Amino acid sequence: MKNSLYQSAIDILNSNDRGTYSLPTQGLYPVQFNWDSAFAALGYRLLNPTRAWQEVQQLASSQWPDGMIPHIMFRGDHEGYFPGPEVWNTGQFIPTSGITQPPVLASVVRRLDETHPLDDSNAMQDMLRRLVRWHEWFMQARLDPQSEAILIIHPWESGRDNMSDWDCGMARVEIAELAPYKRRDLDHVDASQRPTKEEYDRYLSIVKFGRDNHWKQDFLGKQSPFRMVDPGMTAFLLRSSRDLLALLNNYQADNTTAIAQVQQHISTLTRGWNNLWNDKVNAYTAYDPVEQRLLDNVTSVSFMSCYAGVCDDTRHGKLMDEFDRISKLAKYMVPSFDPAHADFDAKRYWRGPVWLVINNVIGVGLAEHGETQRAERIRADSEQLVANSDFFEYFNPITGEGLGGKDFTWTATVYLDWVMQGSKNGKD
Ligand code: DGY
């Protein structure tokens, strides 16, 4: 029997639906966000597959001429969001931000295609062309030549804004002369659960640098005042590249150029992911391309190796020891940051809280690798978090308290698409 939370999740997807695209939540985020929107499509797939395809097509349609698919699309009434299109000033035909976000789109398109293939072959070909161009853009504009992994030019690109991984990169950003601004996020969420004022000043200083340099992405990849190599971005792109390759083999078997290109991306990113292995902490970690050193922080994305398809046996065993260590410290897996670290903060955004969307990808990867028990621990914890605290944006890993925005689209999607699929409460 499906529980009443199942119906609540459906209600959230419906109320955050804006016809052809979705909002992550009302109030706090009244705009279309890249990876939120891609995940949302997996929820809509269960309600209305046509609507799910519209979601990903709307997202892909915002692609820049250089190939980037941006992190925010300003559609409809976005008045309540800061920084708005006039701050980004990207000059695109759809007003957008000037940076990207984790590339989960190809993986989502593959999932949609498996159950509800698009019945318009031109539209499918168009989608594949856009995906190949976006991935190629990443490899041109965001590949760090030393580590061969993906770098970000703004903490917002990672989707994991205030990770302590970014602290050393953020410390190098000089705070520019900024026009006075009012944060709108604090109208909706308590300041103790959001990034600090100093972080915001730096976020906006990096935006100013991009704007002053006309959002020339190759240049920003080399010269942005903030540059850090992100294991999360690298793992998502690697997984998406494998999924894109499978789609190309199905739909464009004679397009040997695109197939060879994506195969090349997979080889490079596999080396890149392996280069992020840090023997000191037995985990995949972020890399500082300026100081040329791996960081010693174990974070939730350290556990994305199986999802990325790189599960080296020796390293995997050591990584799982780390997973087990953390699972004794956190009541609810997977905290975004190591609870044993001095900078761990159980409430503040990405410095400790659990996010169901990351739980989902780690859980799927572990299950694919035969790690049934650990995958089930993550899934069952996710179910408990929603049962105790509802569909919040993120959760305290120690108390389970719901934090950030309420009635969150991707929490509802992950609940329907993954959490309940493995639960005895989810069966008809
Ligand atoms: C926000 O507005 O906090 C977003 O995370 C920026 O990407």
Side-chain angles (χ1 to χ4, degrees):
M1 248 237 324
K2 285 175 177 154
N3 61 16
S4 64
L5 286 170
Y6 200 91
Q7 185 56 47
S8 305
I10 294 173
D11 293 345
I12 290 170
L13 289 186
N14 285 331
S15 71
N16 292 340
D17 185 355
R18 290 296 171 271
T20 52
Y21 68 95
S22 62
L23 309 179
T25 183
Q26 291 166 58
L28 181 61
Y29 300 130
V31 289
Q32 184 183 17
F33 271 88
N34 188 324
W35 68 327
D36 292 81
S37 181
F39 276 105
L42 295 176
Y44 291 122
R45 178 185 68 116
L46 303 170
L47 313 181
N48 174 357
T50 307
R51 175 66 191 80
W53 278 109
Q54 276 173 338
E55 182 84 26
V56 292
Q57 286 170 314
Q58 275 285 51
L59 173 55
S61 74
S62 67
Q63 185 161 43
W64 284 22
D66 68 3
M68 181 176 86
I69 301 186
H71 111 290
I72 290 178
M73 279 57 65
F74 295 99
R75 306 183 194 273
D77 176 12
H78 50 74
E79 279 315 303
Y81 186 76
F82 178 84
E86 63 297 337
V87 179
W88 292 97
N89 195 20
T90 57
Q92 298 297 312
F93 70 104
I94 299 167
T96 72
S97 67
I99 56 174
T100 194
Q101 246 189 347
V104 294
L105 184 57
S107 299
V108 168
V109 167
R110 186 178 182 197
R111 296 263 330 270
L112 297 185
D113 179 64
E114 272 164 5
T115 50
H116 301 90
L118 203 52
D119 58 9
D120 174 344
S121 73
N122 287 338
M124 188 61 184
Q125 294 299 337
D126 180 62
M127 174 61 79
L128 293 177
R129 272 192 298 275
R130 287 175 187 273
L131 287 169
V132 171
R133 286 186 59 227
W134 189 26
H135 284 211
E136 185 57 23
W137 173 87
F138 263 109
M139 302 304 283
Q140 298 299 327
R142 293 291 186 271
L143 190 78
D144 167 48
Q146 282 146 8
S147 62
E148 295 192 284
I150 298 298
L151 60 74
I152 51 171
I153 62 150
H154 193 300
W156 288 340
E157 271 196 333
S158 70
R160 300 175 351 272
D161 306 359
N162 67 340
M163 291 290 310
S164 58
D165 278 348
W166 315 145
D167 290 356
C168 57
M170 283 281 271
R172 289 192 286 263
V173 176
E174 273 180 40
I175 296 179
E177 270 202 31
L178 300 168
Y181 67 92
K182 176 173 173 353
R183 282 176 64 173
R184 306 300 297 266
D185 56 327
L186 301 182
D187 296 343
H188 304 281
V189 175
D190 190 82
S192 65
Q193 298 170 26
R194 293 285 304 173
T196 62
K197 152 104 175 80
E198 195 183 325
E199 281 166 328
Y200 250 79
D201 284 349
R202 290 201 159 88
Y203 295 154
L204 293 171
S205 302
I206 310 169
V207 170
K208 179 174 185 311
F209 184 87
R211 194 175 62 224
D212 290 349
N213 288 285
H214 313 289
W215 298 109
K216 293 213 171 57
Q217 298 294 340
D218 285 341
F219 171 79
L220 296 176
K222 295 184 185 77
Q223 299 293 332
S224 170
F226 177 91
R227 285 182 312 122
M228 291 295 292
V229 171
D230 180 5
M233 214 65 161
T234 307
F236 274 117
L237 188 60
L238 188 42
R239 173 67 180 232
S240 272
S241 298
R242 293 183 202 286
D243 289 325
L244 180 54
L245 184 61
L247 288 165
L248 290 174
N249 280 327
N250 273 346
Y251 285 100
Q252 291 193 357
D254 53 352
N255 189 349
T256 48
T257 313
I259 288 177
Q261 234 176 357
V262 176
Q263 281 168 334
Q264 184 66 45
H265 298 166
I266 294 171
S267 315
T268 307
L269 293 168
T270 301
R271 286 196 301 275
W273 178 259
N274 281 323
N275 287 337
L276 300 182
W277 176 257
N278 182 337
D279 261 325
K280 206 161 132 197
V281 294
N282 286 323
Y284 299 90
T285 64
Y287 175 78
D288 183 342
V290 177
E291 292 184 12
Q292 303 192 2
R293 65 177 179 98
L294 286 165
L295 270 57
D296 294 336
N297 295 336
V298 181
T299 72
S300 50
V301 300
S302 298
F303 300 109
M304 281 179 68
S305 47
C306 293
Y307 182 76
V310 193
C311 250
D312 174 287
D313 278 344
T314 336
R315 289 174 173 179
H316 181 68
K318 294 180 179 172
L319 186 67
M320 289 301 99
D321 288 345
E322 273 303 291
F323 182 96
D324 294 344
R325 175 181 69 76
I326 289 180
S327 67
K328 292 190 187 89
L329 300 174
K331 180 150 193 257
Y332 301 97
M333 287 293 268
V334 181
S336 44
F337 191 31
D338 181 354
H341 198 286
D343 293 339
F344 170 80
D345 182 337
K347 284 187 167 196
R348 202 182 282 279
Y349 215 36
W350 289 93
R351 292 180 93 92
V354 177
W355 293 70
L356 256 53
V357 74
I358 299 292
N359 277 10
N360 183 1
V361 296
I362 299 172
V364 164
L366 288 176
E368 284 172 352
H369 193 70
E371 289 282 0
T372 334
Q373 280 188 0
R374 292 185 177 101
E376 175 54 19
R377 161 85 198 259
I378 303 176
R379 193 210 60 76
D381 286 2
S382 306
E383 183 172 359
Q384 206 55 53
L385 284 169
V386 172
N388 293 347
S389 304
D390 229 341
F391 294 90
F392 269 86
E393 185 180 7
Y394 43 97
F395 301 88
N396 183 320
I398 312 297
T399 64
E401 180 193 7
L403 302 164
K406 284 193 193 123
D407 298 337
F408 222 81
T409 298
W410 71 13
T411 309
T413 279
V414 167
Y415 187 79
L416 294 173
D417 182 51
W418 174 65
V419 173
M420 293 314 281
Q421 299 305 318
S423 164
K424 56 183 186 321
N425 298 321
K427 305 277 183 278
D428 284 314

